[in-house]
Amino acid sequence: MNKKRKLKGFVMPTIYVMLVAMLVISTFMTFSNSNDETVEEDITYVSSVIWSNDTPVVATDKVIVKPFTNKDVAIGKYYYDYKDGSDEQQNAIIFYENSYIQNSGVDYIFEDSFDVVSIYDGTVIKVEDNDIVGKTVEIKHDNNIISVYQSLSEVNVKQGDTITLGTKIGKSGNSKINKDLGNHLHFEIYVNGQVVNPEDCYNKKLTDLQ
């Protein structure tokens, strides 16, 4: 009579552990293959150059420019500076209605009317037509700096306009107070409420005027 063979007690746990291990390995391999396919599908290959040393650099350091573009424009009357010699001061005196007035700006002259431009970015805060100094435009810039353009024959901006450096704001003209100069632009710059010599401000940053 054949006797049925019994598995020893330690055999069944061993088989169970092996089956579980095979199941885990199989699951891991399936998951790994799936991830490989996903990553491969998400990759985008670029064949062209995406960066170059030829990328242009934007200049951020603007400087104050002269209020005109015509290179033939000259100075007709200088800014009055108490530190200047007598000859320079004499050329900076305005004679109007039997009174001598110290010139608070610079008067630029040319035989023909010339374009007048903004010396820097800013906002137009005043546009008026004055009987004595002619059409006037005032522009407020950053750092509490104001530029004033007088003796204009025409104005191309209005109060509240935001303008940029070099924007045409009008044309040179005449005024009663400086009628002897003929066609000209009277130009002034104020820093923190104090008038300064415009000729000392060109090619400088606004922060250099403080």
Side-chain angles (χ1 to χ4, degrees):
M1 184 175 177
N2 293 332
K3 294 182 180 181
K4 292 183 179 180
R5 298 178 62 186
K6 290 185 179 181
L7 295 176
K8 293 184 179 181
F10 71 88
V11 175
M12 288 303 294
T14 301
I15 295 175
Y16 176 78
V17 171
M18 291 178 63
L19 289 174
V20 171
M22 292 177 64
L23 179 61
V24 170
I25 294 172
S26 176
T27 302
F28 174 79
M29 293 297 294
T30 303
F31 180 76
S32 177
N33 291 336
S34 175
N35 280 349
D36 290 342
E37 292 175 1
T38 302
V39 171
E40 196 170 30
E41 290 176 357
D42 290 340
I43 295 176
T44 301
Y45 295 94
V46 178
S47 59
S48 59
V49 177
I50 60 175
W51 182 84
S52 170
N53 286 328
D54 296 330
T55 303
V57 177
V58 179
T60 57
D61 295 334
K62 291 183 180 179
V63 295
I64 297 170
V65 299
K66 292 185 176 182
F68 52 84
T69 55
N70 188 330
K71 295 181 180 179
D72 294 324
V73 171
I75 296 178
K77 193 171 289 294
Y78 287 84
Y79 169 84
Y80 185 90
D81 191 331
Y82 70 93
K83 294 180 293 185
D84 287 340
S86 57
D87 291 341
E88 290 83 359
Q89 289 179 347
Q90 185 175 355
N91 185 262
I93 293 293
I94 300 171
F95 183 73
Y96 178 70
E97 292 188 346
N98 298 318
S99 298
Y100 291 96
I101 306 170
Q102 298 172 351
N103 196 14
S104 56
V106 177
D107 294 277
Y108 297 102
I109 61 174
F110 188 64
E111 56 186 2
D112 297 322
S113 179
F114 55 87
D115 290 343
V116 176
V117 301
S118 174
I119 63 167
Y120 205 87
D121 302 346
T123 302
V124 178
I125 59 174
K126 180 186 287 187
V127 175
E128 67 175 8
D129 193 352
N130 187 285
D131 290 337
I132 298 176
V133 299
K135 291 182 174 62
T136 300
V137 173
E138 292 186 14
I139 299 175
K140 182 176 179 59
H141 311 281
D142 290 338
N143 292 53
N144 201 24
I145 295 172
I146 295 176
S147 55
V148 181
Y149 313 74
Q150 294 179 346
S151 307
L152 302 176
S153 60
E154 65 178 62
V155 174
N156 300 109
V157 295
K158 64 182 184 300
Q159 185 173 339
D161 283 354
T162 299
I163 59 178
T164 58
L165 181 153
T167 297
K168 179 181 175 182
I169 62 174
K171 279 185 169 293
S172 60
N174 296 276
S175 66
K176 289 183 180 180
I177 194 170
N178 268 324
K179 62 181 179 180
D180 293 340
L181 292 177
N183 177 68
H184 70 283
L185 163 70
H186 177 78
F187 180 64
E188 300 175 355
I189 293 181
Y190 291 81
V191 179
N192 296 320
Q194 299 296 317
V195 66
V196 298
N197 186 353
E199 286 290 311
D200 293 336
C201 300
Y202 303 135
N203 296 317
K204 292 182 179 179
K205 301 176 186 177
L206 293 185
T207 52
D208 294 335
L209 304 188
Q210 301 300 311

